[in-house]
Amino acid sequence: MLQKQQVIFTTLEKIMKTKYENSLFYQINSTAKYFDKLFDQIFKEMDFGVSATEHLALSIICETNNCCQRDLARIILKDRANTGKLAKTLKEKGLIEITLNIKNNRPVKILSATKKGKELIDSTLSAFKPVIQKVEDEFSKEGIENIKKSLQKFRKVVEKSVKTNI
């Protein structure tokens, strides 16, 4: 573990010595910020009745049949307390159901989308099509897959150095 951390710190050192705007960190961070701004803009214009974070959680719950709260927290990178509040809000809006189950002798909250929640996700997909189309026009499917694989690999390296309680 110590050797891996040293490799990560050496890599970070090299990256930090480049001009910031040309660094990998800047590219990833600024791209993420633009995505946040884009999603805020779309959600403000379209008034879906949910926030971007609620929509993300709901779409994951729709994709993952019987998603447990812990798995949702891991996927959206939020702690279970925040995820619990998010689930409660989605339930109050009639978009999900929460049921208690037992897993490994522990109580587990299972989240499942209601018909209303699934319909909301289906109806909002059209709002994202223009952005998806622009990306698909600019990059080949292979190019998009390469970007995803590279980002996943990079995230896994950084993830090993992050102390988190998700």
Side-chain angles (χ1 to χ4, degrees), residues 88-97 113-117:
K88 182 180 176 188
T89 302
L90 290 171
K91 182 181 180 187
E92 289 169 353
K93 292 180 179 186
L95 301 171
I96 68 167
E97 292 175 349
T114 62
K115 182 179 178 185
K116 181 180 175 183

Side-chain angles (χ1 to χ4, degrees), residues 69-70 72-73 76 78-92 96 98 109 111:
Q69 185 176 322
R70 177 174 282 192
L72 179 63
I76 65 173
K78 295 205 179 276
D79 61 37
R80 283 186 288 163
N82 282 324
T83 308
K85 291 175 191 172
L86 188 58
K88 182 180 176 188
T89 302
L90 290 171
K91 182 181 180 187
E92 289 169 353
I96 68 167
I98 302 172
K109 290 183 181 178
L111 314 174

Side-chain angles (χ1 to χ4, degrees), residues 2-52:
L2 191 59
Q3 188 176 17
K4 284 183 182 178
Q5 282 185 331
Q6 185 59 44
V7 169
I8 292 168
F9 289 128
T10 303
T11 304
L12 290 174
E13 219 172 59
K14 287 178 187 174
I15 291 170
M16 297 302 276
K17 288 181 181 176
T18 59
K19 184 177 176 193
Y20 181 68
E21 288 182 14
N22 293 328
S23 73
L24 180 60
F25 288 115
Y26 176 79
Q27 298 305 321
I28 291 171
N29 190 39
S30 61
T31 302
K33 287 182 179 182
Y34 274 111
F35 266 102
D36 287 345
K37 289 178 187 291
L38 176 64
F39 279 89
D40 287 345
Q41 180 180 311
I42 289 171
F43 279 84
K44 194 177 279 186
E45 288 173 5
M46 302 302 277
D47 192 24
F48 296 130
V50 294
S51 69

